[in-house]
Amino acid sequence: MNVTRRKLWATQLARHAAEDRELLRRATAERQAAEEALRSAKEREDLVALMATASGTALSKAEAWLSALDEPLTEGETGVPDPVAEASPCSQPRVSVAAVIQNLLRLQVEATYAEIKDEVGKMRPDVKAENCARDLNRMVKRGILTRPRTGSYRLAVKESEPVRY
């Protein structure tokens, strides 16, 4: 093989290698974007599941309350159901701590760390509420939350979204 032919061959191989590196870079970027979209969709699903659970619970309690108003009371009865007696084992799907935080901030726009910790303690008694700082930091790093002041959090708002006050 002559020298000119070898140089041409080496040049073609270098061009193919550069093209393949660019294809790899693009494929990696596409995969990372798809993974982020999947994470975002899962968080949205958790939030919507929490909202659906809360709405369903509110509806069933309102219906029970309204039906109790229609029934005549017996002597000694107050007409108000006993929440302890009605409590049943939790058969609702478990929602993530991030979904609990997002739902709280969606409802009250801004919350302090103490308020968030209390809400996580109520909604997820199986989780140590003190550990929600880790979830808050992750959500801030991912751009889901912002810290308007030290110890205060709010949902990150895109420029196209209206701000609720």
Side-chain angles (χ1 to χ4, degrees):
M1 191 182 270
N2 66 28
V3 175
T4 307
R5 191 176 231 173
R6 284 186 205 168
K7 286 182 182 179
L8 179 63
W9 184 62
T11 303
Q12 287 176 340
L13 283 176
R15 187 178 43 219
H16 288 304
E19 289 171 356
D20 290 345
R21 281 191 302 271
E22 178 60 21
L23 289 173
L24 177 61
R25 186 195 63 76
R26 287 181 188 168
T28 301
E30 287 177 15
R31 180 188 48 80
Q32 289 171 341
E35 287 173 349
E36 181 58 33
L38 179 61
R39 272 193 298 272
S40 178
K42 284 181 180 178
E43 288 174 359
R44 178 71 179 151
E45 180 184 27
D46 287 346
L47 177 62
V48 171
L50 180 64
M51 290 167 43
T53 301
S55 298
T57 302
L59 175 63
S60 65
K61 289 190 184 230
E63 288 173 340
W65 184 73
L66 290 173
S67 68
L69 290 177
D70 293 338
E71 297 173 6
L73 298 178
T74 60
E75 191 173 318
E77 204 173 38
T78 63
V80 178
D82 182 10
V84 176
E86 287 185 351
S88 62
C90 183
S91 62
Q92 301 169 355
R94 187 178 286 186
V95 294
S96 69
V97 172
V100 171
I101 294 168
Q102 283 181 314
N103 192 45
L104 173 67
L105 292 173
R106 186 179 65 79
L107 296 174
Q108 74 180 47
V109 180
E110 190 174 307
T112 64
Y113 175 74
E115 292 171 326
I116 293 170
K117 189 173 83 167
D118 290 342
E119 183 70 11
V120 169
K122 287 181 212 165
M123 298 300 293
R124 290 290 306 271
D126 59 316
V127 174
K128 285 187 178 180
E130 293 79 19
N131 293 342
C132 70
R134 177 184 48 134
D135 293 287
L136 287 166
N137 286 330
R138 282 185 191 154
M139 293 171 77
V140 168
K141 285 180 185 175
R142 292 168 82 190
I144 298 168
L145 300 180
T146 60
R147 287 186 182 114
R149 299 175 275 299
T150 302
S152 183
Y153 296 87
R154 100 178 4 191
L155 287 174
V157 178
K158 297 180 179 134
E159 291 179 25
S160 63
E161 296 178 5
V163 178
R164 295 172 294 165
Y165 288 103

